[in-house]
Amino acid sequence: MTEKISNVELNDLSTDNLSKKSVLEKDYSLIKDVEVSLTALIGEAEISVNELFSLKKGSVVSLHTKLNETASLYLKEKLVAKGNIVAVEDSYGIEITEIL
């Protein structure tokens, strides 16, 4: 036995009707303890193959970045935030200035 459907009502899914909440305002309790890998890109350098093979413990590679320039944070390959490099005790950190 097959039933014929004559009228179907669908909700309007236009962007005007979608939630405008940020990710942090949503309930994420089911995934809050999942660990993710966040990568900070603080600069880049171009070196020759000879310089690459000459690297050893204690070598310094100069980056094409100044201290006041912005660092980028990536979740996998997706850019998620930008910030400034800051000193945190004996380490470095990134102060978030923009969430994308």
Side-chain angles (χ1 to χ4, degrees):
M1 177 188 228
T2 304
E3 207 172 305
K4 186 176 179 181
I5 300 173
S6 56
N7 291 329
V8 176
E9 289 185 35
L10 300 175
N11 293 334
D12 184 9
L13 292 178
S14 68
T15 56
D16 295 337
N17 294 331
L18 295 177
S19 172
K20 301 248 192 266
K21 289 184 177 181
S22 72
V23 172
L24 297 177
E25 292 172 340
K26 293 182 181 176
D27 180 16
Y28 63 99
S29 60
L30 289 175
I31 62 170
K32 69 179 183 176
D33 294 323
V34 174
E35 291 189 12
V36 295
S37 179
L38 191 63
T39 302
L41 178 62
I42 61 170
E44 297 179 2
E46 286 186 25
I47 61 174
S48 68
V49 172
N50 186 47
E51 291 170 313
L52 176 66
F53 289 139
S54 297
L55 292 176
K56 57 184 178 259
K57 185 176 180 177
S59 295
V60 175
V61 176
S62 296
L63 303 175
H64 300 297
T65 304
K66 295 183 173 71
L67 272 180
N68 296 332
E69 290 187 27
T70 302
S72 300
L73 290 174
Y74 290 86
L75 184 60
K76 291 214 171 203
E77 291 89 35
K78 180 170 175 56
L79 178 63
V80 294
K82 293 185 179 184
N84 298 321
I85 301 169
V86 296
V88 180
E89 297 176 11
D90 291 337
S91 299
Y92 294 99
I94 297 181
E95 178 184 20
I96 305 297
T97 57
E98 181 180 4
I99 296 179
L100 307 170

